[in-house]
Amino acid sequence: MNAHLQPTGSAYFIQQETAKQERHTLSVLVSNEPGVLARVIGLFSGRGYNIESLTVSETEHEAHLSRITIVTSGTPGVLEQIKSQLDRIVPVHRVVDLTVRATQLGQERPIEREVALVKVAGEGEERAEALRLADAFHAKVVDATVSHFIFEITGKSSKIDQFVAIMKPFGLIEVCRTGIAAMNRGPQGM
């Protein structure tokens, strides 16, 4: 066996070979105080975990609580490690894996939505076609001049990806996305 193909003895090496990467959406309820987001992000960057999407906002003003929604990928073992380490951060009140919860509830995925602002240049026939396509995607015009539009679109990330790709030939100038907001179906809360 070649030296570069031999196992290193690390459990991570073995896990990477046998476990499949999964994409999960985590919801983290935290105290709304300075430095909390930096500590959560530091946990990910310090251990080499990737964040695909991150949103945070105060959700309970009276209780001074914020909700952080994180989309990340990893093997099942790595995902468990992420949740366990998040749970140990002092101002974290609760960590819920919305992907696991959805499966427990017999659903494929949690409800996930994203908002994007998409600026497109357009004149003449291309302008009319861009407007027609935006209407088909239920994108709303939030600003318009004779030389450009700014569309607002809400939906699954895949819908926004598709809309952005379709707008490229019409003079896509700029895209700003919020990141994913997510919840599980059903009457129970986080």
Side-chain angles (χ1 to χ4, degrees), residues 124-146:
E125 284 186 38
E126 285 186 350
R127 182 179 179 90
E129 184 65 11
L131 278 170
R132 186 187 68 72
L133 287 167
D135 187 52
F137 276 83
H138 303 288
K140 209 167 62 168
V141 176
V142 294
D143 184 56
T145 68
V146 293

Side-chain angles (χ1 to χ4, degrees), residues 2 7 13-15 21 23 31 37 49 65 71 74 79 83 102 105 116 118 123 142 152 160 165-166 179 184:
N2 292 339
F13 179 83
I14 296 167
Q15 189 174 18
Q21 292 274 326
R23 178 182 174 271
S31 296
L37 183 59
Y49 304 144
L65 295 176
V71 179
L79 292 165
K83 291 184 283 189
L105 296 170
V118 180
E123 295 178 0
V142 294
E152 175 187 305
I160 293 172
I166 285 174
N184 282 116

